[in-house]
Amino acid sequence: MMGLLTRDVAIDLGTANTLIYVKGKGIVIREPSVVAIDRYTGKIVAVGDEANKMIGRTPDNIIAIRPMKDGVIADFDITHAMIRHFIRKANVVGILKPRVVVCIPSGITEVERRAVEEAVMQAGAKEVALIEEPMAAAMGAGLPVKRATGSMVIDIGGGTTEVAVISMGGIVSSRSIRIAGDAFDNAIINYLKKNIGINVGDKMAEEIKFQIGSAFEGDEEGYFDVRGRDVRTGLPKTVQVKESQIREAMSENLDEILEAVKLTLEHTPPELAADVMERGIILTGGGALIKGLDKLLTQVTKIPAYVAEYPLDCVAIGTGKALDNIKEIIAKNKRHI
Ligand code: ADP
Ligand code: MG
């Protein structure tokens, strides 16, 4: 059934997850940014949750693609199809067309921005405006972005980590690095291969990160039974891995995130940096859930760091809040659609 009344819509087009927020309703879609296609015909077989379930469980001809993987659009057609699919599923295009705000990774190019706008318009939007991730994350975390005070947000997603200081509705200084959730997973894969002689897949690496991933030594050491294949024999094997080993595996990537935070602070005017020192740092995105990351940040920067209440939802909620200023954003984007 199609929605008869129009509702304004916010989309968080993340590298790992796409969320759709409908004004007056809240988040209605929360699915992985994954598309399954038939390698031979090029046809799309499934999108989102359904496509994700197929990974590793389908014949060789079906491959899963994450079109936004590295914070850039790897494939226009597939991204197009994915956006269309989610908008249809959200059931927001009725007789009246919705106005849509989309949050995009800040590293994407002008051409890619156009592609996103076009896909959203083709899916039945009346108007579309784009906003950048750190601003949406900060708004969603409830930071006072409009005030003349410095707020720092770190959003750690699948493909990118965005660090930004925001004041008076604008980004004062920021950095975007391609080190985030996927990089942690890859680091875990490489560590286990090199140090323990076991090969594991992407899903297992992510599961290990969920279970015993950590950034800071806690009171109790966690353990996890890792299933994979012996590097030498190729035979299935289960090995118990310690939290401290996974922390070591993740340490280089954690250092790079810390470095981005330091550089962002260095490029922040002193008054605003002083605000950040006082008010603290807010962590958003799925990566914010890494155990002890707040403690590590606090120890290294001497600034209190906090995990937002709903880190995975912040960007979608913040983009939803931006719907109230859609006209302003369109004007700011200087785009006439
Ligand atoms: P994006 O905005 O790029 O789509 P998300 O903010 O949705 O990314 O975060 C997805 C990333 O967060 C993935 O890499 C996922 O593995 C990671 N993640 C989700 N939950 C946790 C958790 N509990 N611990 C560690 N990492 C997590
Ligand atoms: Mg995100």
Side-chain angles (χ1 to χ4, degrees):
M1 202 190 80
M2 295 214 295
L4 287 183
L5 289 170
T6 188
R7 284 206 164 93
D8 290 340
V9 179
I11 303 176
D12 167 12
L13 192 59
T15 60
N17 297 293
T18 297
L19 282 74
I20 297 191
Y21 172 106
V22 177
K23 197 169 175 178
K25 265 193 180 175
I27 293 168
V28 296
I29 297 235
R30 189 188 267 114
E31 294 195 35
S33 310
V34 177
V35 179
I37 66 166
D38 184 316
R39 192 204 297 263
Y40 302 119
T41 65
K43 283 222 171 79
I44 291 171
V45 183
V47 179
D49 278 331
E50 213 185 311
N52 201 38
K53 277 185 207 133
M54 290 182 173
I55 297 177
R57 288 202 182 80
T58 40
D60 283 351
N61 61 313
I62 309 283
I63 49 168
I65 292 182
R66 285 178 51 198
M68 310 282 301
K69 196 166 187 247
D70 297 310
V72 295
I73 296 174
D75 186 308
F76 284 161
D77 292 343
I78 293 171
T79 306
H80 246 95
M82 186 176 80
I83 294 172
R84 263 202 317 273
H85 173 92
F86 286 135
I87 290 180
R88 287 211 187 117
K89 196 164 173 187
N91 194 28
V92 285
V93 181
I95 291 167
L96 299 170
K97 293 176 163 189
R99 298 184 305 172
V100 182
V101 176
V102 189
C103 178
I104 43 155
S106 63
I108 84 174
T109 64
E110 192 53 37
V111 174
E112 290 168 335
R113 292 172 70 103
R114 291 258 159 78
V116 170
E117 285 174 351
E118 198 190 300
V120 174
M121 291 303 283
Q122 275 183 15
K126 185 171 76 181
E127 283 177 292
V128 56
L130 305 184
I131 63 167
E132 290 194 341
E133 198 152 29
M135 187 56 81
M139 286 170 70
L143 297 181
V145 296
K146 293 247 163 87
R147 251 193 267 158
T149 180
S151 297
M152 179 178 255
V153 63
I154 305 176
D155 181 271
I156 306 176
T160 59
T161 292
E162 316 248 350
V163 184
V165 172
I166 288 164
S167 176
M168 296 185 74
I171 294 174
V172 176
S173 85
S174 70
R175 282 204 120 66
S176 174
I177 57 169
R178 302 229 168 133
I179 304 279
D182 295 335
F184 287 123
D185 300 349
N186 289 331
I188 291 171
I189 291 172
N190 292 333
Y191 179 92
L192 294 176
K193 187 175 180 178
K194 213 168 118 200
N195 297 282
I196 303 186
I198 186 169
N199 277 322
V200 300
D202 294 345
K203 289 257 178 205
M204 178 46 78
E206 191 180 40
E207 191 58 31
I208 296 166
K209 179 179 70 178
F210 291 163
Q211 298 299 331
I212 57 167
S214 93
F216 200 81
E217 194 176 342
D219 298 336
E220 243 176 86
E221 170 120 288
Y223 293 88
F224 187 72
D225 286 331
V226 172
R227 278 174 292 120
R229 282 179 189 283
D230 189 286
V231 170
R232 272 186 312 115
T233 65
L235 294 172
K237 172 167 148 177
T238 301
V239 180
Q240 192 179 65
V241 173
K242 288 190 284 189
E243 191 178 309
S244 51
Q245 291 175 300
I246 299 307
R247 191 162 49 247
E248 190 187 326
M250 293 166 65
S251 67
E252 240 173 76
N253 289 333
L254 287 167
D255 285 345
E256 296 206 40
I257 292 175
L258 290 170
E259 191 57 32
V261 174
K262 284 189 218 158
L263 287 169
T264 307
L265 280 168
E266 276 171 28
H267 288 90
T268 301
E271 289 79 10
L272 296 177
D275 292 341
V276 173
M277 300 279 292
E278 196 178 304
R279 307 173 37 83
I281 300 170
I282 287 281
L283 287 161
T284 67
L289 291 165
I290 292 166
K291 207 172 116 195
L293 185 58
D294 46 353
K295 291 205 181 92
L296 176 70
L297 273 159
T298 303
Q299 191 198 49
V300 172
T301 62
K302 310 278 185 275
I303 302 173
Y306 312 95
V307 179
E309 192 172 7
Y310 302 105
L312 285 156
D313 292 352
C314 280
V315 168
I317 294 169
T319 310
K321 286 186 185 170
L323 282 170
D324 297 336
N325 308 320
I326 188 166
K327 286 260 166 334
E328 253 172 65
I329 300 166
I330 289 175
K332 216 190 248 176
N333 285 4
K334 289 201 184 73
R335 237 165 277 274
H336 307 284
I337 306 156

